[in-house]
Amino acid sequence: MDNSEQLFSNLVREHKSTIYTVCYMFSKDNDEVADLFQEILIKLWKGFQSFEGRSDIKTWVYRVSLNTCISLDRKKKRRKKSDSLAMDINLYDDNDSDTRQVKQLYERINRLGVFDRAIILLWLEGIPYDEIADIVGISTKNVSVKLYRIREQLKNMK
């Protein structure tokens, strides 16, 4: 394994949870999440050599991950929907109060627009406003305004 492959491997290992978090914001289907993850890895690999370090590496990983998921989400919506096979049981069903609240929050978040979903995801991850601004390409002040509106929208959803 040459040096760039080793560096990339370390990058993936270090930021794997970040990438998965973004993937799970765009899909709950494990196969689709795996496809999104793989597509993001391809994009990261293609851009790895040209990454100049003008931003933090985590910011770059978030930006590539979000842009990839947003693009694929748009393509998916343009395609005709097909019926999927469904299992009658959920092996991972957890019915405690905390789990239900988290599920309800993510169901509401999934009803938001793609851009708003990306912003709230980054905020939930504890990313500072200025980094969110860099990742999504808006001003820090605009991040604060959008987050206020998104939180209000989430509160008012039923």
Side-chain angles (χ1 to χ4, degrees), residues 27-131:
S27 179
K28 299 298 177 229
D29 178 63
N30 288 336
D31 290 335
E32 190 173 8
V33 167
D35 290 344
L36 288 170
F37 188 84
Q38 184 176 11
E39 192 65 33
I40 291 168
L41 289 183
I42 291 168
K43 300 275 188 194
L44 288 171
W45 175 251
K46 286 181 178 178
F48 187 65
Q49 295 299 325
S50 61
F51 177 68
E52 297 173 354
R54 286 185 278 170
S55 66
D56 184 59
I57 192 80
K58 186 172 184 174
T59 301
W60 179 69
V61 169
Y62 261 119
R63 185 166 218 152
V64 170
S65 300
L66 283 169
N67 287 341
T68 302
C69 288
I70 288 169
S71 293
L72 293 174
D73 189 59
R74 286 182 182 151
K75 286 179 185 176
K76 181 174 76 173
K77 285 181 180 175
R78 279 188 242 134
R79 279 188 257 135
K80 193 171 137 181
K81 294 197 177 203
S82 62
D83 293 332
S84 61
L85 298 175
M87 291 177 47
D88 291 340
I89 59 170
N90 182 353
L91 301 175
Y92 306 104
D93 196 20
D94 195 351
N95 288 320
D96 67 4
S97 169
D98 291 339
T99 302
R100 282 194 304 273
Q101 284 182 338
V102 169
K103 283 180 182 178
Q104 184 181 35
L105 173 63
Y106 279 97
E107 285 170 4
R108 289 179 181 191
I109 289 172
N110 282 326
R111 291 172 24 207
L112 294 171
V114 174
F115 192 69
D116 289 347
R117 259 190 286 165
I119 291 172
I120 198 73
L121 160 76
L122 294 168
W123 179 74
L124 287 171
E125 286 288 309
I127 305 296
Y129 284 23
D130 57 333
E131 265 188 70

Side-chain angles (χ1 to χ4, degrees), residues 17-26 40 62 65-66 69 121:
S17 66
T18 297
I19 298 168
Y20 269 118
T21 300
V22 173
C23 292
Y24 276 109
M25 279 303 296
F26 286 86
I40 291 168
Y62 261 119
S65 300
L66 283 169
C69 288
L121 160 76

